[in-house]
Amino acid sequence: MTSNIKLTFLGTADQIPSANRNHSAILLNYNEENILIDCGEGTQRQFRKAKLNPYKTTRILITHWHGDHVLGLPGLLQTLAMSGYNKTLYIYGPKGTEFLMRGLLKLFNFKKKYEIKIKEVQGKFFETKDFYLEAKSMEHGIPCNAYFFEEKSKTRIDKKKLKKSGLPLGPLISKLKSGKNITYKNKKYLAKNLTYTDTGKKISIVLDTLLNKNITNFVKNSDVLICESSFSSDLEDKAKEHLHLTSKQAGEIAKKAKVKKLILTHLSQRYEKNPKKILNETKKIFKNSTLAKDLMVVEI
Ligand SMILES: [Zn+2]
Ligand SMILES: [Zn+2]
């Protein structure tokens, strides 16, 4: 599908940011939607560095309430208030998000200048005619969600075949497009012969979690899987202890789920000098893997 999904990695560090890696935040742009996934400390400045306008943010998806994923929220919300943000801002998160968000707004004495709608989500939670968003619980010691964005597939007319058929443009074509067979001058035309399916794209985001049985199914057939990889495979015990994934596990998930492309993020300072260690381990299992960098842009 000729879609315009643009991902900007605003922050790719784990708990401790470094000179090169900011706390977690990813912006997914699709038409008028600008969906921010997590908002670690410093996200506002990352917006500026990426030459993106934070006022265009439409929704914020919170994976979980560890500081490295949410410490940038109060600052961003305040900036939006001071800059005349006049839309409703939707904030989605796992169980507990409503209580924690209310606490955060109170703590920073947030003056209500625009509408903020907070929703604790699970399963499919938002849908338009073009796409939908889904959440799934992960295992990270506290409530934690993985998310995916999926564009809806569309039935399109095969223009070459249509021209050959000699059918006139107009309401009959709309009927074909909606999957109905038509009759024209006593001849029957089957929708399946004159149309094709334009498959929508799926982008999945799995940040902090212990390896669990839900992941593979949830991210199945993604065009892009963004997955945390906090530990190298030799530290699997440590990853388990801290409820995180290893490079090897991320690769295995991508392979089993038959995703097209894997992007690793949430990198530890431990690998600052040698991030290839993580990437090479993953690539042994899943070839089409890359390592996210701050301000990296991926168009799908
Ligand atoms: Zn984290
Ligand atoms: Zn965490």
Side-chain angles (χ1 to χ4, degrees):
M1 190 182 266
T2 43
S3 65
N4 285 313
I5 303 169
K6 187 172 144 193
L7 297 167
T8 307
F9 289 83
L10 296 170
T12 60
D14 74 340
Q15 291 94 325
I16 304 169
S18 68
N20 300 316
R21 293 186 186 272
N22 206 73
H23 267 171
S24 278
I26 302 160
L27 189 75
L28 187 156
N29 165 252
Y30 178 74
N31 300 331
E32 299 304 307
E33 287 283 344
N34 282 290
I35 303 167
L36 181 65
I37 300 112
D38 284 343
C39 185
E41 182 188 339
T43 297
Q44 288 199 73
R45 294 198 65 223
Q46 296 297 93
F47 264 101
R48 301 298 181 192
K49 286 184 196 167
K51 298 194 169 36
L52 292 168
N53 191 343
Y55 319 134
K56 289 187 177 168
T57 307
T58 48
R59 294 161 213 286
I60 300 177
L61 275 52
I62 296 166
T63 59
H64 64 299
W65 281 82
H66 278 159
D68 53 322
H69 297 257
V70 292
L71 283 171
L73 271 176
L76 178 68
L77 299 183
Q78 195 171 285
T79 296
L80 295 183
M82 290 193 295
S83 315
Y85 188 85
N86 54 13
K87 297 179 281 236
T88 298
L89 180 66
Y90 293 88
I91 301 181
Y92 310 95
K95 202 169 188 299
T97 292
E98 184 133 18
F99 172 77
L100 292 162
M101 263 308 299
R102 300 270 166 237
L104 181 142
L105 295 173
K106 206 169 159 191
L107 179 67
F108 290 96
N109 194 23
F110 186 77
K111 301 261 186 310
K112 196 183 165 196
K113 290 192 175 160
Y114 57 96
E115 195 72 37
I116 296 178
K117 288 232 161 91
I118 307 158
K119 287 184 183 170
E120 294 175 4
V121 293
Q122 209 48 226
K124 191 189 274 188
F125 62 89
F126 182 72
E127 189 172 9
T128 71
K129 66 174 185 22
D130 298 319
F131 76 94
Y132 64 98
L133 299 168
E134 229 178 280
K136 184 87 188 169
S137 278
M138 294 288 109
E139 288 178 26
H140 192 52
I142 59 169
C144 183
N145 277 349
Y147 293 101
F148 73 65
F149 162 99
E150 187 163 352
E151 201 181 9
K152 290 181 180 173
S153 295
K154 294 213 161 87
T155 305
R156 300 201 191 273
I157 297 287
D158 188 320
K159 285 183 183 151
K160 266 189 191 164
K161 285 183 182 166
L162 182 72
K163 210 174 163 192
K164 251 187 172 172
S165 75
L167 283 166
L169 295 174
L172 280 175
I173 306 302
S174 308
K175 257 189 166 177
L176 277 175
K177 223 175 150 185
S178 65
K180 285 179 190 134
N181 301 328
I182 56 164
T183 307
Y184 178 65
K185 290 187 176 169
N186 292 326
K187 197 177 164 195
K188 206 171 177 190
Y189 295 85
L190 300 181
K192 66 171 185 180
N193 293 340
L194 292 164
T195 58
Y196 66 95
T197 305
D198 200 352
T199 313
K201 300 277 194 289
K202 178 176 175 180
I203 317 293
S204 302
I205 301 111
V206 177
L207 291 183
D208 303 8
T209 185
L210 179 69
L211 185 65
N212 67 78
K213 61 176 176 14
N214 289 331
I215 308 176
T216 307
N217 234 352
F218 187 68
V219 306
K220 202 147 216 118
N221 299 324
S222 294
D223 291 86
V224 175
L225 165 62
I226 300 165
C227 189
E228 74 127 316
S229 178
S230 306
F231 291 90
S232 48
S233 56
D234 53 326
L235 297 177
E236 197 176 320
D237 287 348
K238 239 189 165 114
K240 200 171 175 183
E241 185 191 332
H242 294 277
L243 308 157
H244 278 288
L245 293 170
T246 67
S247 48
K248 192 174 163 216
Q249 289 166 343
E252 281 165 354
I253 292 165
K255 193 176 170 186
K256 272 191 222 155
K258 296 188 167 61
V259 309
K260 292 200 179 91
K261 185 186 175 77
L262 170 64
I263 303 176
L264 303 168
T265 188
H266 202 268
L267 257 88
S268 163
Q269 274 199 114
R270 190 182 279 119
Y271 309 104
E272 184 82 0
K273 287 203 175 94
N274 186 18
K276 282 256 164 83
K277 179 175 167 61
I278 293 277
L279 183 62
N280 291 341
E281 286 175 358
T282 307
K283 274 191 159 177
K284 270 187 204 158
I285 297 151
F286 188 79
K287 214 162 174 251
N288 196 11
S289 305
T290 40
L291 211 55
K293 274 198 280 194
D294 276 25
L295 308 182
M296 178 173 104
V297 175
V298 178
E299 292 191 44
I300 302 116

